Amino acid sequence: MKQILDFLCLLGSLLLVVARNTVPSSEFQLDGDYLLGGLFDIHHVSSPLRLDRPEAIDCTSQPFILSSYRSFQVMRFAVEEINNSTSLLPNISVGYILFDQCSDRYSFPSMLNLISVAGLLDPWGDLPKNLMAVIGSYTSSKTMSVAPLFMMDLIPMISYSASASAFSQKKAYPSFLRTVHTNKDVIEIIVRILKHFKWHWVAFLYDDNSYGDDGRELFIRKIQDTEICLAYTKGLDHQTDYPRIFRQINTLRVHVIIVFASEWMAEVLFESAIQQNVTNKVWLATDAWSLNRKLPKTKGIRNVGTVLGVAAPATTIPGFSDFVHSAKAVALCENAEQETFCNQVFNCSGLSAADVIDADPTFSFTVYAAVYAIAHALHKTLQCGASSCNDNMTVYPHMVLAELKKSNFTLLNQTIHFDENGDPNYGFYLIVFWNHNGDVQEVGYYEFYPPFRLVINNTEIRWHTNGEVPTSVCSQECPIGHKKKPEGIHRCCFNCEICQNGTFINITEDPYTCVSCTDAEWSAEGSTSCSLRVVEFVPFTDTGAVVLTVAAWALVGLNLAVSVLFAINFNTPVVRSAGGPMCFLILICLTLSSLSVYFYFGQPTAASCILRFLPFLLFYIVCLACFVVRSFQIVCIFKIAAKLPKLYSWWMKYHGQWLVITVSFAIQALLLIIGYSYDPPKPFNETFWYRDKIVLGCDINLNATSTSVIFLSSLCFLCFIFSYMGKDLPKNYNEAKSITFCLLLLILTWIAFATVYLLYNGTYIQTLNALAILSSLYSFLWWYFIPKCLIIIFQPQRNTQQYFQGLIQSYTKTISQ
């Protein structure tokens, strides 16, 4: 309600103004066939005003902005230059009415005066017939406050400094254009500079208004998917507690500060920084204050650190200096008796032409380009030729707007044109550095349009860190092979953890996760990639494989030779005492058991894994059953037969030895069928014990095969008991002793293998397993059959019936006594 009352009071005061037919000579006004409006911040309201009643602000009472006054003079010069041109708007004069818009809330009378007719406002009436466009305003906040007044009638408004991204929205600002690059462009350059120098931990200080808020939001969006983190952000106004800001920035260890603020706010900020003895910082300046002529020469500015900035090229405008000298000589602004409208007066006494010329030129070219853009649009609207224009047509602002959008002309070697949003579609920005002489030095540039290049000459920058590029990070980059473990809410703050064996880190894809290698790969601790594992198995060409294969074939040959020898001497006492027909069964089963040896070599397959265990477990049980029966028979003959004759007769009557062997074989076969049906042995890649290689082997389910192994072990234990009972048999009658010794070798062999298996899991465990099987087979052949073969061949006198009967009779007399 208060704002409405303020506006109505201001409107009432405005309606008291009576339009004059003649306008006295003034810097702020110039008659012409077509008028341009101009809004400049020659003065600036730096602190909130407290008014007792609604009234227009007297801008001359506020702080003076020299750079804005320079822009003001550039517009006057551009209009004069156009009026003196014979090729642009021939025989057409352009006038202007300029205003000092020092406030965004108390300068409405000047804007209302632009759109009034004969001092009156009539929203449904005619527009001022000769007002074609408005140049301004300076800040985004002031532009937002007045732009709607011109948008509703499509009066072109070309801003030379308002860079907020909101003005690119044509639904809200249909007749708004600008010759200054947008905040989006400036933020793009700033982010590229941060990436160029690898500054990831930054503070962002901004004007607490629409300009600063827009820059902050654009910056946050721009760094969202980058390694840059916003450590601290704060809006600046007249009540800002600067000492507190600097304390918080130092506490956070931030060394790079982006100052997205106006010229006067930057001056206040640096004054406070010098007073608070802020040192060793990098300050990134926007185009709004990077070319400031006062700050680089301020006492103590060198102590705050290094200042880099983004700036529009300071284009030299030919003839402008002469114009300023001429204007100051006339000194129109010192005419105290001139009649002017609100905020169209300026006491410029004491201000020399040199002061104006040397002021910050940041927005001089943008003002110059804005005036010429309107002039060219008006030139086309009026259908001007080489010497004249169409004087018979009525020109409306929307017609000029249509031509403005199609602008395409060259001005001071730059092609001026706009994109679909009314934003400049040309030019480049400079990267500047405040050197130790107090001058602004060019050190690079950025091209806004393809190829979008950022070029910075690092050697031209004299850093406050003795030549080295300063750093600004929350956490130092992790060493190679380490992952980042987030600490706090910022991704730039983290701890480093080394990636363990079998994992690697790819910082380009995900610096926070150690990725596991596949089963076919390996990696050492702290790796950045995986390496293929070496695949290992025992080939048939391996020395151990060749030796064991030859030994297996030798076993087969020896078994065959023993079988032939025993067949020839089948009826001799040695063969019969060894088991007679049972010997051939044992030798056959030993031969069949040796088949397992061949399948331990070569790359494992499903079939080879089964055949590694099946022949040995199935046929070796027959061998053990035969020796169990043989041991039992020896004990029975010499011990049980005399004491338990019925048991002996039953055994002989029903062929107990063959029954035991058949049942043992059947049980083992059934156990193996059940176990292999449940979970048969299959190829297995061993990747646990060795990180850099894959050992190909066979995986056997102990639960599925344990019953067959237990059954084999039980027979072995039973055989050992029976054979041990015959340890006191006659010295030369040594079948039981031979069996006992063979079983001891068998047991020791597998104990040794089990020990090695627990300690070693390499490739050659397969070779050792085959060796254990072959050793088990050779133990029976070598220590049971070979001694008997030696007797048959070399001691035939011991292979007689009389010799064996003598031994039995001698033993019987001994046990009877």
Side-chain angles (χ1 to χ4, degrees):
M1 180 62 71
K2 181 180 178 181
Q3 293 178 344
I4 295 175
L5 292 175
D6 291 345
F7 178 78
L8 292 175
C9 292
L10 290 173
L11 184 60
S13 64
L14 175 65
L15 296 178
L16 296 176
V17 179
V18 179
R20 307 284 183 175
N21 293 327
T22 60
V23 180
S25 179
S26 167
E27 285 189 320
F28 289 85
Q29 296 183 6
L30 178 68
D31 285 337
D33 297 325
Y34 297 95
L35 281 181
L36 302 182
L39 306 175
F40 297 90
D41 286 22
I42 299 175
H43 298 85
H44 175 69
V45 177
S46 57
S47 59
L49 298 174
R50 291 180 173 82
L51 303 176
D52 296 329
R53 59 182 181 180
E55 60 180 300
I57 183 67
D58 180 10
C59 288
T60 56
S61 63
Q62 301 302 315
F64 173 67
I65 307 298
L66 182 57
S67 59
S68 292
Y69 182 68
R70 187 185 200 276
S71 300
F72 169 87
Q73 293 294 349
V74 168
M75 179 172 177
R76 295 183 63 241
F77 167 70
V79 171
E80 180 177 291
E81 197 173 52
I82 292 168
N83 287 335
N84 293 331
S85 172
T86 58
S87 59
L88 184 62
L89 293 175
N91 298 323
I92 297 295
S93 63
V94 178
Y96 54 74
I97 177 168
L98 311 180
F99 294 95
D100 184 3
Q101 188 188 6
C102 59
S103 170
D104 57 350
R105 290 185 292 173
Y106 302 104
S107 296
F108 277 96
S110 55
M111 265 58 68
L112 295 173
N113 183 58
L114 278 175
I115 60 176
S116 64
V117 178
L120 299 175
L121 286 176
D122 186 358
W124 297 275
D126 294 331
L127 292 173
K129 290 188 173 65
N130 58 350
L131 177 63
M132 292 297 101
V134 177
I135 308 294
S137 297
Y138 177 60
T139 67
S140 296
S141 298
K142 293 172 182 177
T143 303
M144 285 185 179
S145 66
V146 301
L149 297 174
F150 305 105
M151 298 300 106
M152 58 186 178
D153 290 315
L154 294 180
I155 299 175
M157 185 176 188
I158 303 184
S159 178
Y160 55 88
S161 178
S163 55
S165 57
F167 298 121
S168 297
Q169 300 174 6
K170 293 300 100 179
K171 289 185 178 180
Y173 301 95
S175 61
F176 182 90
L177 299 94
R178 50 186 157 191
T179 53
V180 66
H181 283 279
T182 65
N183 286 344
K184 182 180 179 181
D185 293 334
V186 175
I187 290 297
E188 172 69 24
I189 303 175
I190 289 175
V191 171
R192 283 181 178 254
I193 293 174
L194 295 178
K195 291 180 179 179
H196 178 81
F197 292 111
K198 298 181 180 179
W199 293 327
H200 298 159
W201 191 236
V202 300
F204 193 94
L205 305 181
Y206 61 97
D207 271 351
D208 192 10
N209 54 30
S210 56
Y211 165 73
D213 291 339
D214 180 62
R216 176 180 176 274
E217 292 175 5
L218 289 171
F219 181 74
I220 291 174
R221 287 203 298 267
K222 189 67 180 177
I223 66 173
Q224 192 168 14
D225 297 323
T226 69
E227 295 181 349
I228 301 169
C229 293
L230 182 56
Y232 180 79
T233 181
K234 180 67 176 176
L236 307 178
D237 56 28
H238 71 286
Q239 295 180 334
T240 298
D241 185 353
Y242 289 100
R244 181 182 180 185
I245 289 177
F246 296 131
R247 284 196 304 269
Q248 291 175 332
I249 289 175
N250 287 329
T251 301
L252 292 170
R253 304 188 306 277
V254 178
H255 302 300
V256 175
I257 304 173
I258 302 165
V259 183
F260 202 90
S262 58
E263 182 180 16
W264 48 86
M265 192 63 73
E267 291 177 356
V268 175
L269 174 68
F270 274 91
E271 288 174 3
S272 179
I274 294 170
Q275 292 175 2
Q276 298 299 319
N277 195 28
V278 177
T279 59
N280 301 326
K281 304 295 183 187
V282 176
W283 306 80
L284 292 184
T286 63
D287 55 340
W289 62 276
S290 59
L291 298 182
N292 187 288
R293 299 298 175 91
K294 172 184 175 183
L295 279 177
K297 300 183 184 299
T298 302
K299 182 180 180 180
I301 194 68
R302 301 277 76 80
N303 297 329
V304 300
T306 304
V307 179
L308 294 178
V310 177
T315 305
T316 300
I317 302 176
F320 176 66
S321 297
D322 295 336
F323 171 80
V324 173
H325 282 287
S326 175
K328 296 308 295 179
V330 176
L332 294 176
C333 59
E334 295 180 1
N335 183 2
E337 297 180 358
Q338 63 186 1
E339 297 182 26
T340 59
F341 187 69
C342 177
N343 293 326
Q344 286 186 285
V345 63
F346 167 56
N347 183 7
C348 59
S349 58
L351 187 63
S352 67
D355 294 332
V356 178
I357 295 170
D358 294 337
D360 182 354
T362 298
F363 300 109
S364 295
F365 181 75
T366 56
V367 173
Y368 192 68
V371 175
Y372 265 89
I374 296 171
H376 278 275
L378 186 58
H379 183 90
K380 290 184 179 181
T381 304
L382 290 171
Q383 303 170 0
C384 296
S387 59
S388 64
C389 298
N390 186 354
D391 296 332
N392 298 322
M393 66 181 301
T394 302
V395 179
Y396 293 97
H398 68 86
M399 300 167 64
V400 178
L401 174 63
E403 294 297 336
L404 266 174
K405 292 180 179 180
K406 297 184 289 184
S407 295
N408 192 354
F409 62 94
T410 301
L411 182 66
L412 299 183
N413 297 323
Q414 287 204 52
T415 301
I416 309 298
H417 49 95
F418 304 95
D419 63 16
E420 64 277 7
N421 296 320
D423 298 328
N425 199 12
Y426 57 89
F428 63 96
Y429 263 19
L430 301 176
I431 311 301
V432 297
F433 159 66
W434 291 6
N435 61 32
H436 293 173
N437 297 325
D439 298 324
V440 178
Q441 178 182 342
E442 178 185 340
V443 294
Y445 63 89
Y446 177 79
E447 295 177 350
F448 286 111
Y449 301 97
F452 301 100
R453 289 190 303 167
L454 173 68
V455 177
I456 298 178
N457 188 352
N458 296 344
T459 59
E460 294 292 324
I461 304 174
R462 298 292 178 262
W463 303 102
H464 61 272
T465 50
N466 298 323
E468 295 184 0
V469 178
T471 60
S472 186
V473 295
C474 180
S475 301
Q476 293 295 332
E477 283 299 313
C478 291
I480 295 176
H482 289 66
K483 72 173 182 177
K484 297 178 180 179
K485 183 179 180 181
E487 180 184 14
I489 61 174
H490 294 288
R491 61 180 174 277
C492 296
C493 303
F494 49 82
N495 294 320
C496 297
E497 291 184 358
I498 193 167
C499 290
Q500 300 301 315
N501 294 334
T503 64
F504 72 98
I505 184 76
N506 186 344
I507 59 174
T508 59
E509 292 186 0
D510 184 3
Y512 300 95
T513 305
C514 293
V515 182
S516 298
C517 297
T518 64
D519 291 339
E521 297 174 325
W522 74 280
S523 66
E525 188 178 63
S527 295
T528 57
S529 63
C530 292
S531 302
L532 288 176
R533 293 177 184 253
V534 178
V535 178
E536 291 189 352
F537 59 90
V538 182
F540 287 101
T541 56
D542 182 75
T543 303
V546 171
V547 171
L548 291 179
T549 302
V550 172
W553 281 110
L555 176 71
V556 174
L558 288 174
N559 287 340
L560 180 60
V562 171
S563 298
V564 172
L565 183 62
F566 273 35
I568 295 172
N569 299 276
F570 183 76
N571 293 319
T572 62
V574 170
V575 175
R576 290 188 173 276
S577 66
M582 196 177 295
C583 293
F584 299 102
L585 178 60
I586 294 173
L587 291 170
I588 292 172
C589 288
L590 288 177
T591 300
L592 294 174
S593 296
S594 68
L595 292 174
S596 292
V597 174
Y598 306 112
F599 296 101
Y600 277 89
F601 310 116
Q603 186 170 349
T605 62
S608 66
C609 285
I610 293 175
L611 294 175
R612 280 186 182 187
F613 306 102
L614 183 62
F616 178 73
L617 292 175
L618 182 61
F619 296 110
Y620 200 71
I621 201 77
V622 176
C623 297
L624 284 177
C626 290
F627 282 111
V628 168
V629 170
R630 185 62 191 145
S631 301
F632 178 74
Q633 285 179 334
I634 293 172
V635 173
C636 285
I637 290 172
F638 290 98
K639 294 184 177 181
I640 300 177
K643 298 179 180 180
L644 299 171
K646 290 184 178 180
L647 178 61
Y648 179 73
S649 62
W650 182 89
W651 178 268
M652 296 301 295
K653 179 180 179 181
Y654 292 103
H655 303 285
Q657 65 273 26
W658 298 110
L659 183 61
V660 170
I661 293 170
T662 303
V663 170
S664 298
F665 178 79
I667 292 174
Q668 183 72 331
L670 181 62
L671 293 175
L672 288 172
I673 290 172
I674 295 173
Y676 280 16
S677 299
Y678 173 70
D679 189 5
K682 50 185 174 294
F684 173 70
N685 297 337
E686 173 57 65
T687 59
F688 177 76
W689 294 102
Y690 299 95
R691 67 184 184 185
D692 58 344
K693 57 186 178 182
I694 299 175
V695 179
L696 301 184
C698 293
D699 180 32
I700 183 169
N701 190 333
L702 295 179
N703 293 328
T705 59
S706 59
T707 53
S708 59
V709 175
I710 291 172
F711 182 59
L712 188 147
S713 302
S714 301
L715 280 184
C716 181
F717 182 71
L718 185 62
C719 182
F720 182 79
I721 291 175
F722 285 137
S723 62
Y724 184 78
M725 290 172 62
K727 69 181 185 303
D728 56 347
L729 291 175
K731 180 178 180 181
N732 293 325
Y733 192 79
N734 55 8
E735 279 84 354
K737 294 179 181 179
S738 297
I739 295 173
T740 303
F741 186 71
C742 291
L743 291 173
L744 283 174
L745 287 178
L746 175 66
I747 293 170
L748 291 175
T749 296
W750 287 101
I751 289 175
F753 172 75
T755 303
V756 173
Y757 185 82
L758 293 175
L759 300 177
Y760 171 70
N761 293 274
T763 307
Y764 291 100
I765 196 67
Q766 315 299 334
T767 303
L768 295 176
N769 200 341
L771 178 61
I773 290 176
L774 203 58
S775 176
S776 301
L777 302 178
Y778 264 104
S779 65
F780 284 130
L781 174 66
W782 195 257
W783 299 109
Y784 186 80
F785 288 102
I786 296 301
K788 293 171 175 50
C789 292
L790 293 176
I791 292 174
I792 293 172
I793 297 172
F794 299 106
Q795 295 179 335
Q797 70 277 10
R798 297 175 59 184
N799 190 17
T800 62
Q801 188 69 29
Q802 294 80 5
Y803 181 78
F804 272 79
Q805 286 180 351
L807 291 176
I808 295 172
Q809 291 175 1
S810 176
Y811 178 74
T812 304
K813 290 179 180 180
T814 301
I815 62 174
S816 64
Q817 294 176 356

